[in-house]
Amino acid sequence: MAAGQDYFDAAIKILGRLRDTQIEAIEKAATICADSIAAGGLVFLFGSGHSRMMCEEMTPRQGGFVGFVALVEQALSNHFAIVGTNGLRGALHLEKYEGYAEELLRNFRFGPHDAFIVISTSGIRPLIVEAATGAKARGLPVIAVVSTAHCNDSPAVHSSGKKLTDVVDVTLDNMCPKGDCILDLEGLAWRTGPVSTLTGAMLINMLRVEVAERLLSRSITPVLLPSHQIVEDCTADEQLDLFYEAYRKSLAHLYR
């Protein structure tokens, strides 16, 4: 199991670098999110393709709490068929299409206390850049989860010449190398062993718990989504109902 061990060891090293370098940025991002939620606002998460997973890692997720909203567009991420209906070609093309992100944002009525998190390992596609600039234009603070190595080493694709890191307030670096994958295997022209899922999920969960701690320090108790798989715990169903209702109420300003 040499390849598996090599991947594990390399991934652990990257997670160590993340821990050593990203704490300050996570603290800044957590303050933005806590300020938003404490004031009755929402923190939106947006990502296309595989980055969608990081949105769903935040919510809905056991241990997640009201205040975070995943903006997941099926046209940008429902491509598990790869070819045919809902295939990968369409989703990848939409990422390149200028103007599409603005149409998505127009579906919502953002409030004065809302914030926005944009997730993209490359950070260069027009969809991602325009999602961030559109949120900024609406007065929202914007946080990026991105590979700065990939973003910095890639040309801008958007006609403005900007990349995601050029337009956000805080950047969380997922520490991935350009191209995401970390393992070279003899006989393969391209690397395998992507790591952005591991590092992205780590950043999301570090951010989550930091926000929870900040809310508690303000005497605000987050309404958590419990694990409903502990069948002998009858309080889980009660907490789940509380979460549903609190989440419903939190969305009220989006559709007024």
Side-chain angles (χ1 to χ4, degrees):
M1 192 179 171
Q5 184 67 55
D6 289 345
Y7 173 79
F8 180 91
D9 293 343
I12 290 296
K13 287 181 180 178
I14 292 174
L15 287 170
R17 292 201 300 271
L18 185 152
R19 176 200 59 207
D20 294 341
T21 62
Q22 297 306 299
I23 297 299
E24 183 178 352
I26 289 169
E27 290 176 343
K28 290 179 181 178
T31 297
I32 290 173
C33 296
D35 287 346
S36 178
I37 295 172
L42 297 169
V43 180
F44 297 90
L45 297 98
F46 178 81
S48 66
H50 192 77
S51 295
R52 160 192 177 154
M53 292 181 65
M54 298 307 103
C55 303
E56 295 176 348
E57 181 64 22
M58 183 66 86
T59 185
R61 188 75 164 90
Q62 278 80 6
F65 50 89
V66 173
F68 292 100
V69 178
L71 299 187
V72 175
E73 288 287 326
Q74 289 190 359
L76 295 167
S77 51
N78 185 19
H79 50 247
F80 51 83
I82 301 183
V83 296
T85 304
N86 297 315
L88 187 56
R89 293 178 189 272
L92 293 182
H93 181 73
L94 286 174
E95 290 182 351
K96 307 173 186 177
Y97 194 80
E98 295 194 15
Y100 185 49
E102 178 59 27
E103 293 305 310
L104 298 180
L105 293 176
R106 289 178 63 191
N107 283 318
F108 303 94
R109 182 172 297 171
F110 297 99
H113 303 297
D114 293 340
F116 212 84
I117 301 174
V118 180
I119 303 159
S120 168
T121 291
S122 69
I124 59 173
R125 292 299 180 190
L127 173 78
I128 293 301
V129 174
E130 291 187 353
T133 55
K136 290 283 288 183
R138 290 164 169 80
L140 279 62
V142 181
I143 300 160
V145 179
V146 66
S147 164
T148 57
H150 191 133
C151 193
N152 292 344
D153 194 38
S154 301
V157 178
H158 193 267
S159 59
S160 66
K162 292 183 178 180
K163 308 175 190 178
L164 179 58
T165 51
D166 295 324
V167 297
V168 300
D169 298 288
V170 179
T171 296
L172 303 182
D173 187 355
N174 69 16
M175 306 302 293
C176 292
K178 187 175 182 178
D180 196 348
C181 295
I182 60 175
L183 195 66
D184 289 301
L185 289 179
E186 186 176 354
L188 289 182
W190 294 79
R191 283 182 170 181
T192 186
V195 76
S196 62
T197 306
L198 298 176
T199 59
M202 180 60 74
L203 287 171
I204 289 297
N205 282 287
M206 292 173 75
L207 178 61
R208 181 207 318 279
V209 298
E210 285 287 337
V211 174
E213 186 175 58
R214 280 162 171 72
L215 291 173
L216 289 169
S217 72
R218 304 182 193 192
S219 298
I220 299 171
T221 302
V223 181
L224 268 71
L225 174 63
S227 174
H228 54 282
Q229 304 297 348
I230 306 175
V231 294
E232 68 273 16
D233 185 356
C234 297
T235 63
D237 287 339
E238 296 174 6
Q239 181 63 27
L240 192 57
D241 284 337
L242 289 173
F243 175 83
Y244 287 148
E245 180 61 14
Y247 188 83
R248 183 189 65 80
K249 289 181 178 178
S250 76
L251 302 179
H253 75 260
L254 280 181
Y255 307 107
R256 282 202 299 266

